[in-house]
Amino acid sequence: MTPVSTDPYRDWLRQRLSAELGVREADLAVQGAVQRRGWTAVRALGPRDVIAVLQDVYSQMRENFGDARADKWLEGTTLDLAKFAESVPVPAQAAAPGPIAPAPSPVKWGRRAHDLPLLLARSHAEIASRSLGAIRANPDLLSLERAAEWDVQATQAEVRRWETEEMLSKLRADHARIEVADQVAAAAAQGDLLRLTVQELEQASRGGQNLSPQLAHSRLMVTQTRAFLEAFTPLIDLEDADTPLTMLELDLATARYSLVVPLHPNVLRARHSLNYAQWQAGESAEASPQVMQAQHSLHVAQAEAQAQLDGTLNAARTHQATLRQLATQVESLEHRALQLTQLGGDPLSLARVRLEWRQVRTAARVQAHRLEEAVRFLEALVSEN
């Protein structure tokens, strides 16, 4: 009987890299990645750690063999890793016995709502880890070890999900601040255009043209815009509106994020339930109704996780395509404004171009932010960072 590896993902990684680079270069690649990231030498690797090493090798392959071969290799290897992650749990260390660490005392005004699920997830992860230690220490329960390892991995994935949500909430807050600054800057540009428009209409009216409705409307718009600026300008830093656009040029191929499905907390929880049902059923596992129900639940969880991944990727691709179109318009408007300035164009025409530039840039910023949020979410689920 072949002994179960205590570091199966490292073994898998060495085997895959050896086929491409040779045994010596494969070992050097793994050792280099471990040293650069400060991982302990004896630490068992997980699928996210493997992704980090694969990205290092991918960068080197692009330099040595070109993008086409490197992309094909990374796609195939990542898909194979996702399949491997479906059958092999991440090696887990059992927690030391003792009482569960208490949650920090709440501050006087209470704890934020999203802090509580994270505290609960961390407690569940600690309990699962201690249960794994107890199972390993009891010969009568050793056959339950694999199910317990899936349980540990599922609870740790739940912790990661809530940590990712906390990261995203901070990122969204930063994005919201800049997007409001963009809106205020666009309103300021609109105010300049309206002021010049009123001046032009007043001059035309003095020349005998009947423009009373247009003039009244423009004056009303000036008043409304001024009120908006008086309310919001003190709340923001207008320099935020001049922050460069974030242009993420990423390959959003599904294979890059294929680990999202097998590492999804719900999928891992369903896999643990299946292993637990198989342990309970013993030799009659294949015919057990509980096992068949657990298998069905696993398939449902995998389908739902795949649908979530596809939805996030499709949204990200849409944001990326729209951002590219808007960024092109921004560059075109910048060129027009420069031409008008150099040719001594009239202030009203220049104000119109500047307002349109602000409006298009504001729209582009929103697309850039939604793209960044989607990509950061997916990266957090499959990378070690």
Side-chain angles (χ1 to χ4, degrees):
M1 180 177 178
T2 304
V4 177
S5 173
T6 58
D7 202 348
Y9 283 89
R10 188 188 297 262
D11 294 342
W12 182 92
L13 178 61
R14 281 175 172 159
Q15 181 181 6
R16 288 305 298 255
L17 294 183
S18 295
E20 187 69 31
L21 308 175
V23 175
R24 182 175 179 278
E25 290 298 324
D27 286 337
L28 289 176
V30 176
Q31 292 171 11
V34 169
Q35 292 172 356
R36 278 191 298 276
R37 291 169 173 80
W39 298 337
T40 57
V42 296
R43 164 185 165 180
L45 300 185
R48 295 184 184 91
D49 305 317
V50 172
I51 284 290
V53 181
L54 294 180
Q55 289 292 343
D56 290 349
V57 176
Y58 169 71
S59 299
Q60 191 62 45
M61 287 184 67
R62 289 182 64 186
E63 294 180 7
N64 295 339
F65 306 115
D67 289 356
R69 178 176 170 183
D71 289 344
K72 184 177 180 180
W73 173 83
L74 182 63
E75 178 178 347
T77 305
T78 304
L79 289 172
D80 288 345
L81 174 62
K83 293 177 182 178
F84 186 71
E86 293 177 356
S87 58
V88 180
V90 177
Q93 295 296 323
I100 300 297
S105 300
V107 291
K108 291 181 180 179
W109 54 86
R111 188 171 297 284
R112 294 176 303 174
H114 68 264
D115 285 345
L116 298 176
L118 178 55
L119 291 173
L120 182 64
R122 285 173 175 164
S123 294
H124 285 164
E126 188 172 352
I127 292 170
S129 182
R130 291 171 186 236
S131 297
L132 174 61
I135 288 169
R136 286 173 173 169
N138 188 335
D140 294 332
L141 295 176
L142 276 180
S143 57
L144 189 56
E145 180 180 9
R146 192 171 183 83
E149 288 180 332
W150 284 117
D151 188 26
V152 170
Q153 189 171 348
T155 55
Q156 289 175 344
E158 192 67 27
V159 171
R160 191 179 190 88
R161 170 156 61 181
W162 286 108
E163 288 176 341
T164 299
E165 197 57 45
E166 184 174 17
M167 176 273 292
L168 285 175
S169 69
K170 294 176 181 177
L171 182 64
R172 289 168 184 146
D174 290 339
H175 287 170
R177 186 189 72 252
I178 296 175
E179 288 171 22
V180 171
D182 281 336
Q183 293 282 347
V184 175
Q190 184 180 38
D192 291 339
L193 175 61
L194 288 169
R195 179 177 52 81
L196 292 170
T197 300
V198 168
Q199 291 177 2
E200 185 179 75
L201 290 172
E202 287 175 340
Q203 185 177 1
S205 296
R206 287 192 293 268
Q209 297 185 48
N210 183 17
L211 299 171
S212 297
Q214 296 94 319
L215 185 56
H217 180 261
S218 295
R219 285 172 175 166
L220 175 61
M221 292 294 293
V222 166
T223 302
Q224 292 176 333
T225 303
R226 184 180 297 122
F228 175 83
L229 291 172
E230 288 174 353
F232 278 90
T233 300
L235 303 180
I236 55 94
D237 183 353
L238 264 179
E239 292 184 357
D240 285 341
D242 294 323
T243 304
L245 290 175
T246 304
M247 297 294 295
L248 294 178
E249 291 297 334
L250 293 171
D251 177 12
L252 293 173
T254 306
R256 178 183 175 88
Y257 302 105
S258 55
L259 269 178
V260 168
V261 174
L263 297 186
H264 192 285
N266 295 348
V267 173
L268 292 168
R269 173 63 57 211
R271 200 172 294 285
H272 159 253
S273 297
L274 173 59
N275 276 259
Y276 186 73
Q278 290 171 334
W279 174 78
Q280 285 186 310
E283 295 181 357
S284 60
E286 295 304 320
S288 168
Q290 289 81 5
V291 171
M292 288 188 285
Q293 178 59 41
Q295 289 173 333
H296 174 71
S297 298
L298 175 58
H299 293 153
V300 170
Q302 288 173 324
E304 291 176 348
Q306 186 66 54
Q308 289 177 9
L309 171 60
D310 292 342
T312 303
L313 279 172
N314 288 336
R317 292 178 186 125
T318 300
H319 293 314
Q320 188 178 57
T322 306
L323 173 59
R324 287 170 178 164
Q325 295 173 357
L326 292 171
T328 300
Q329 293 180 39
V330 169
E331 291 180 4
S332 175
L333 289 166
E334 288 173 347
H335 182 65
R336 282 173 57 190
L338 180 60
Q339 281 185 322
L340 279 172
T341 302
Q342 292 174 340
L343 297 174
D346 64 282
L348 187 60
S349 297
L350 186 57
R352 287 195 182 98
V353 173
R354 285 175 174 167
L355 173 58
E356 187 178 359
W357 174 77
R358 279 291 181 192
Q359 291 172 332
V360 175
R361 198 168 186 271
T362 296
R365 177 94 70 191
V366 171
Q367 298 298 322
H369 284 171
R370 299 299 88 80
L371 172 60
E372 184 181 2
E373 289 162 15
V375 170
R376 289 283 295 277
F377 169 71
L378 293 171
E379 291 286 0
L381 295 179
V382 301
S383 72
E384 92 282 10
N385 296 323

